[in-house]
Amino acid sequence: MGGPFATEDLVRRAQRGDTRAFEMLVERHLGQVRRLARAFARDGLEADDIAQEALIKVYRSIGRYRFEASFSTWLFTVIRSSFLDARKTRQRRERAVADVGAPLAPASPDEALQRQQERQTLWDAIAQVPPELRTTMVLFDVEGMSYEEVAAIERVPLGTVKSRLHRGREHLRRLLRGTSS
Amino acid sequence: MTDRALRERLAGLREEAANEEFLAALRLRLSEEEPPAVSMPWGERAREALGRWRTLAWPLAGALAGVATFAVLTLVTEHPVAAPSPAASPPAAPVPALASGDVSPRYLVPASKVAVIRLTFNASVAVEGASFDVTLPQGLSFWSEGVRLADRTARWQDDLDAGDNIVPIAVRADRPGRYRITARVDADGETIEHEIILEAEGPS
């Protein structure tokens, strides 16, 4: 509470149409938003596109935020929903393209490039995990959120979070075995 | 791959990318956006339209309790006129409409001190989506948490509850004098505008 850059103050300013306040608000979560977007996209560019779209949706709906949950919980609830919608839209558009997780070209001897390719392979595999399991896994395993935080964002019980994590990891392991064989 | 190894690989994805370009693109998109639609409880919404002054307002309201500072903008029910009849007809279903209330109530406040004016918007029935507009003249400013707000006009939209809807407004006059505050409410295509006279007295 208090101070010109306190979350509550920034939210209230953003609700009044102060876009700079909104930028400051989301800037704090930008890395997490972009990485979660990455799990719903084929590459970084597409991830940024859907992240931008999701943040615009957040801005449009920020008037509905009532300070009942933490701002980050509310933000990720909206973001997650937007990504799930974007995924459905893309699926309808691109039914024919099913080879998102195809194995990549052999790794280059260059270490940095190799690391980049490993990351790409991992993201591609994550993108093939069912979306409910995917968001749980990214929020918990990639972003390091707690069970409670993930449960609040996804509006599910703790047990569901744990079960989704388990199933998500299993699914991912299978996919990674497929790409490495 | 063990569970632990998989989790380590996943955690390794948590790298921070440069956000400047992303933010610049977002800024461009935001500049094309309309202000977000806000749906807040009515009192809170009105206060937010005036800035971050609410924590200041209530203590001051208590301190200034002796100062009668009420302006009343009244929303009354207009009953549709039925066929002429000498007998008084029972009221029809309430239709919210704007009509004149008290005009130019006066406020006496100390100059150069923040004073709280309480605007009471009275509605006979609940009204959805009323627009409010309070404009201060030169020399008078809105105050919020000890800070003078640059804007001299506060606008917001909200629903009116049936009955009194009180909006406290913290203002300060730069010097003694007579100031006219304009308060306007629009609902259902009708508008009512009132002038509230604020007399600021005492040392400047």
Side-chain angles (χ1 to χ4, degrees):
Chain A
M1 291 281 281
F5 304 117
T7 298
E8 183 183 337
D9 190 69
L10 291 173
V11 170
R12 292 188 191 282
R13 283 167 54 194
Q15 287 177 330
R16 293 196 296 269
D18 183 339
T19 55
R20 180 66 195 126
F22 181 76
E23 282 174 33
M24 287 193 279
L25 261 180
V26 298
E27 202 171 350
R28 303 167 179 189
H29 306 285
L30 224 45
Q32 292 175 308
V33 171
R34 293 176 74 186
R35 281 190 295 272
L36 186 57
R38 185 65 186 82
F40 286 85
R42 283 168 303 187
D43 53 40
L45 282 178
E46 187 181 337
D48 278 356
D49 282 348
I50 63 171
Q52 293 264 349
E53 206 55 51
L55 288 169
I56 292 296
K57 283 185 184 170
V58 170
Y59 179 69
R60 287 176 185 158
S61 57
I62 197 166
R64 292 202 292 273
Y65 175 60
R66 297 284 186 86
F67 301 91
E68 286 158 357
S70 76
F71 177 73
S72 63
T73 297
W74 178 82
L75 171 77
F76 280 101
T77 303
V78 178
I79 292 279
R80 174 179 176 271
S81 157
S82 175
F83 291 165
L84 291 172
D85 288 347
R87 175 190 147 272
K88 282 180 199 158
T89 307
R90 199 185 71 185
Q91 266 188 339
R92 279 197 295 271
R93 245 188 355 238
E94 303 176 352
R95 291 232 184 263
V97 183
D99 201 19
V100 175
L104 297 168
S108 149
D110 180 85
E111 221 173 90
L113 184 60
Q114 192 175 346
R115 245 195 343 263
Q116 192 184 336
Q117 286 175 340
E118 279 172 9
R119 298 169 66 84
Q120 176 76 33
T121 304
L122 192 49
W123 278 122
D124 287 346
I126 291 170
Q128 293 181 78
V129 173
E132 294 81 11
L133 312 183
R134 193 187 317 169
T135 49
T136 308
M137 210 166 52
V138 172
L139 292 174
F140 189 89
D141 284 335
V142 180
E143 299 306 331
M145 290 185 184
S146 66
Y147 289 121
E148 288 79 8
E149 285 172 313
V150 179
I153 289 167
E154 301 195 332
R155 294 174 178 166
V156 294
L158 280 183
T160 306
V161 172
K162 290 175 183 174
S163 148
R164 284 180 178 179
L165 267 179
H166 177 74
R167 284 156 52 212
R169 288 174 189 154
E170 275 304 309
H171 201 108
L172 184 61
R173 242 194 297 270
R174 278 200 303 275
L175 287 163
L176 290 171
R177 270 201 296 270
T179 56
S180 64
S181 61
Chain B
M1 188 189 307
T2 64
D3 204 49
R4 184 193 178 101
L6 179 66
R7 291 181 63 178
E8 279 173 3
R9 281 188 72 180
L10 288 169
L13 292 173
R14 198 188 317 152
E15 66 167 11
E16 289 300 330
N19 288 324
E20 288 76 15
E21 278 185 32
F22 184 90
L23 264 178
L26 180 64
R27 187 168 300 140
L28 195 64
R29 295 275 313 265
L30 288 170
S31 69
E32 295 162 357
E33 286 291 312
E34 295 287 322
V38 179
S39 65
M40 280 183 172
W42 140 222
E44 186 178 348
R45 175 72 189 280
R47 288 193 292 276
E48 287 315 310
L50 299 173
R52 297 175 288 105
W53 60 279
R54 61 196 180 288
T55 54
L56 179 70
W58 292 111
L60 276 169
L64 296 169
V67 182
T69 52
F70 273 91
V72 178
L73 297 180
T74 306
L75 284 169
V76 299
T77 301
E78 273 188 357
H79 306 302
V81 179
S85 162
S89 55
V95 177
L98 297 170
S100 297
D102 296 340
V103 178
S104 298
R106 284 168 186 275
Y107 300 75
L108 194 61
V109 299
S112 297
K113 286 191 177 176
V114 177
V116 176
I117 296 171
R118 298 175 71 199
L119 300 177
T120 301
F121 297 90
N122 182 273
S124 56
V125 292
V127 180
E128 286 187 5
S131 299
F132 302 86
D133 186 315
V134 179
T135 302
L136 305 182
Q138 283 276 5
L140 206 59
S141 43
F142 292 117
W143 277 69
S144 168
E145 293 180 5
V147 177
R148 178 198 299 270
L149 304 181
D151 290 342
R152 288 210 309 277
T153 297
R155 292 192 181 92
W156 70 98
Q157 278 201 324
D158 215 328
D159 301 340
L160 283 173
D161 298 329
D164 284 349
N165 300 269
I166 298 170
V167 186
I169 297 172
V171 297
R172 202 182 97 163
D174 292 338
R175 63 189 71 81
R178 194 164 186 261
Y179 300 90
R180 288 175 189 274
I181 299 172
T182 308
R184 204 172 78 171
V185 59
D186 297 284
D188 289 344
E190 295 190 50
T191 300
I192 185 169
E193 188 169 300
H194 281 264
E195 273 191 351
I196 299 129
I197 306 297
L198 189 139
E199 302 271 7
E201 60 174 21
S204 58

Coordinates of all heavy atoms in Angstrom, one line a residue, chain A residues 36 39-40 76 79-81 83-84 126 129-143 145 150 153-154 164-165:
Chain A
L36 N 5.4 -18.1 -20.7 CA 4.1 -18.9 -20.7 C 3.6 -18.9 -22.1 O 3.1 -19.9 -22.7 CB 3.1 -18.4 -19.7 CG 1.8 -19.2 -19.6 CD1 2.1 -20.6 -19.2 CD2 0.9 -18.5 -18.5
A39 N 5.1 -21.4 -24.5 CA 4.5 -22.8 -24.4 C 3.3 -23.0 -25.3 O 2.8 -24.1 -25.5 CB 4.2 -23.1 -22.9
F40 N 2.8 -21.9 -25.8 CA 1.6 -22.0 -26.7 C 1.9 -21.6 -28.1 O 1.0 -21.4 -28.9 CB 0.5 -21.1 -26.1 CG -0.2 -21.7 -24.9 CD1 0.4 -21.5 -23.6 CD2 -1.3 -22.5 -25.0 CE1 -0.2 -22.0 -22.5 CE2 -1.9 -23.0 -23.9 CZ -1.3 -22.8 -22.7
F76 N -2.4 -13.6 -14.4 CA -2.1 -14.9 -15.0 C -3.4 -15.7 -15.3 O -3.4 -16.5 -16.2 CB -1.1 -15.7 -14.2 CG 0.3 -15.3 -14.4 CD1 0.9 -14.4 -13.5 CD2 0.9 -15.6 -15.6 CE1 2.2 -14.0 -13.8 CE2 2.2 -15.1 -15.8 CZ 2.8 -14.3 -14.9
I79 N -4.3 -14.1 -18.6 CA -3.3 -14.5 -19.6 C -3.5 -15.9 -20.0 O -3.5 -16.3 -21.2 CB -1.9 -14.3 -19.0 CG1 -1.6 -12.8 -18.8 CG2 -0.8 -15.0 -19.8 CD1 -1.2 -12.0 -20.0
R80 N -3.7 -16.8 -19.1 CA -3.8 -18.2 -19.3 C -5.0 -18.5 -20.2 O -5.0 -19.2 -21.2 CB -3.9 -19.0 -18.0 CG -4.2 -20.5 -18.2 CD -4.3 -21.1 -16.8 NE -4.7 -22.5 -16.9 CZ -5.9 -22.9 -16.9 NH1 -6.9 -22.1 -16.8 NH2 -6.2 -24.2 -17.1
S81 N -6.1 -17.8 -19.8 CA -7.3 -18.0 -20.6 C -7.2 -17.5 -22.0 O -7.6 -18.1 -23.0 CB -8.5 -17.2 -19.9 OG -9.5 -16.9 -20.7
F83 N -4.4 -17.4 -23.7 CA -3.5 -18.3 -24.4 C -4.3 -19.6 -24.9 O -4.1 -20.1 -26.0 CB -2.3 -18.7 -23.6 CG -1.3 -17.6 -23.4 CD1 -0.3 -17.7 -22.4 CD2 -1.3 -16.5 -24.2 CE1 0.6 -16.7 -22.2 CE2 -0.4 -15.5 -24.0 CZ 0.5 -15.6 -23.0
L84 N -5.1 -20.0 -24.0 CA -6.0 -21.2 -24.3 C -6.9 -20.9 -25.5 O -7.0 -21.7 -26.4 CB -6.8 -21.7 -23.1 CG -6.0 -22.3 -22.0 CD1 -6.8 -22.5 -20.8 CD2 -5.3 -23.6 -22.4
I126 N 7.0 -29.1 -25.0 CA 6.0 -28.6 -24.0 C 4.8 -28.2 -24.8 O 3.7 -28.4 -24.3 CB 6.6 -27.4 -23.3 CG1 7.7 -27.8 -22.3 CG2 5.6 -26.6 -22.5 CD1 8.5 -26.7 -21.7
V129 N 2.2 -30.9 -25.1 CA 1.5 -31.4 -23.9 C 0.1 -30.8 -23.9 O -0.1 -29.6 -24.2 CB 2.3 -31.0 -22.6 CG1 1.6 -31.4 -21.3 CG2 3.7 -31.6 -22.7
P130 N -0.9 -31.5 -23.5 CA -2.2 -31.0 -23.4 C -2.2 -29.7 -22.6 O -1.5 -29.6 -21.6 CB -3.0 -32.1 -22.7 CG -2.3 -33.3 -23.0 CD -0.9 -33.0 -23.1
P131 N -3.0 -28.7 -23.1 CA -2.9 -27.3 -22.5 C -3.1 -27.2 -21.0 O -2.4 -26.4 -20.4 CB -3.9 -26.5 -23.3 CG -4.7 -27.5 -24.0 CD -3.9 -28.8 -24.2
E132 N -4.0 -27.9 -20.4 CA -4.2 -27.8 -19.0 C -3.0 -28.3 -18.2 O -2.6 -27.7 -17.2 CB -5.4 -28.7 -18.5 CG -6.8 -28.2 -19.1 CD -7.0 -28.7 -20.5 OE1 -6.2 -29.6 -21.0 OE2 -7.9 -28.2 -21.1
L133 N -2.4 -29.4 -18.7 CA -1.2 -29.9 -18.0 C 0.0 -28.9 -18.3 O 0.9 -28.7 -17.5 CB -0.8 -31.3 -18.6 CG -2.0 -32.3 -18.6 CD1 -1.5 -33.7 -19.1 CD2 -2.6 -32.4 -17.3
R134 N 0.0 -28.3 -19.5 CA 1.1 -27.5 -19.9 C 1.2 -26.2 -19.1 O 2.3 -25.9 -18.6 CB 0.8 -27.1 -21.4 CG 2.0 -26.5 -22.1 CD 1.6 -25.9 -23.4 NE 0.7 -26.8 -24.2 CZ 0.0 -26.4 -25.3 NH1 0.2 -25.2 -25.8 NH2 -0.8 -27.3 -25.9
T135 N 0.1 -25.6 -18.8 CA 0.2 -24.3 -18.1 C 0.6 -24.6 -16.6 O 1.4 -23.9 -16.0 CB -1.2 -23.6 -18.0 OG1 -2.2 -24.5 -17.7 CG2 -1.5 -22.9 -19.4
T136 N 0.1 -25.7 -16.1 CA 0.5 -26.1 -14.7 C 2.0 -26.3 -14.6 O 2.6 -25.8 -13.7 CB -0.3 -27.4 -14.3 OG1 -1.7 -27.2 -14.5 CG2 0.0 -27.7 -12.8
M137 N 2.5 -27.0 -15.6 CA 3.9 -27.4 -15.6 C 4.8 -26.1 -15.8 O 5.8 -26.0 -15.1 CB 4.1 -28.4 -16.8 CG 5.3 -29.3 -16.5 SD 5.2 -30.7 -17.7 CE 5.1 -29.8 -19.3
V138 N 4.4 -25.3 -16.7 CA 5.2 -24.1 -16.9 C 5.2 -23.2 -15.7 O 6.2 -22.7 -15.3 CB 4.7 -23.3 -18.2 CG1 5.4 -22.0 -18.3 CG2 4.9 -24.1 -19.4
L139 N 4.0 -23.0 -15.2 CA 3.9 -22.1 -14.0 C 4.7 -22.6 -12.8 O 5.3 -21.9 -12.1 CB 2.4 -21.9 -13.6 CG 1.6 -21.1 -14.6 CD1 0.1 -21.1 -14.2 CD2 2.1 -19.6 -14.7
F140 N 4.6 -23.9 -12.6 CA 5.3 -24.6 -11.5 C 6.7 -24.8 -11.7 O 7.6 -24.4 -11.0 CB 4.5 -25.9 -11.1 CG 5.0 -26.4 -9.8 CD1 4.4 -26.1 -8.6 CD2 6.0 -27.4 -9.7 CE1 4.9 -26.6 -7.3 CE2 6.5 -27.9 -8.5 CZ 5.9 -27.5 -7.3
D141 N 7.0 -25.6 -12.8 CA 8.4 -26.0 -13.0 C 9.3 -25.0 -13.7 O 10.5 -24.9 -13.4 CB 8.3 -27.3 -13.9 CG 7.9 -28.5 -13.1 OD1 8.1 -28.5 -11.9 OD2 7.4 -29.5 -13.8
V142 N 8.7 -24.2 -14.6 CA 9.6 -23.2 -15.2 C 9.6 -21.9 -14.4 O 10.7 -21.4 -14.1 CB 9.0 -22.9 -16.7 CG1 9.9 -21.8 -17.3 CG2 9.0 -24.1 -17.5
E143 N 8.4 -21.5 -14.0 CA 8.4 -20.2 -13.3 C 8.6 -20.3 -11.8 O 8.8 -19.3 -11.1 CB 7.0 -19.5 -13.5 CG 6.8 -19.2 -15.0 CD 7.9 -18.4 -15.6 OE1 8.6 -17.6 -14.9 OE2 8.1 -18.5 -16.8
M145 N 6.5 -21.2 -9.4 CA 5.4 -20.8 -8.6 C 5.0 -21.9 -7.6 O 5.4 -23.0 -7.9 CB 4.1 -20.4 -9.4 CG 4.3 -19.1 -10.2 SD 2.7 -18.7 -11.0 CE 3.2 -17.2 -11.9
V150 N -0.4 -21.6 -8.3 CA -0.9 -22.2 -9.5 C -2.4 -22.6 -9.3 O -3.2 -22.3 -10.3 CB -0.1 -23.5 -9.9 CG1 -0.7 -24.1 -11.2 CG2 1.4 -23.1 -10.1
I153 N -4.4 -19.4 -9.7 CA -4.5 -19.0 -11.1 C -5.4 -19.9 -12.0 O -6.2 -19.4 -12.8 CB -3.1 -18.9 -11.8 CG1 -2.3 -17.8 -11.1 CG2 -3.1 -18.8 -13.3 CD1 -0.8 -17.9 -11.4
E154 N -5.3 -21.2 -11.8 CA -6.1 -22.1 -12.6 C -7.5 -22.4 -12.0 O -8.3 -23.1 -12.6 CB -5.3 -23.4 -12.8 CG -4.0 -23.1 -13.5 CD -3.3 -24.3 -14.0 OE1 -3.5 -25.4 -13.5 OE2 -2.6 -24.2 -15.0
R164 N -2.0 -32.8 -12.2 CA -1.7 -32.2 -13.6 C -0.2 -32.2 -13.8 O 0.3 -32.5 -14.8 CB -2.3 -30.8 -13.7 CG -3.8 -30.8 -14.0 CD -4.3 -29.4 -14.2 NE -5.7 -29.4 -14.5 CZ -6.4 -28.3 -14.6 NH1 -5.9 -27.1 -14.5 NH2 -7.7 -28.4 -14.9
L165 N 0.5 -31.8 -12.7 CA 2.0 -31.8 -12.8 C 2.5 -33.2 -13.1 O 3.4 -33.3 -14.0 CB 2.6 -31.3 -11.4 CG 2.8 -29.8 -11.3 CD1 3.3 -29.6 -9.9 CD2 3.8 -29.3 -12.3

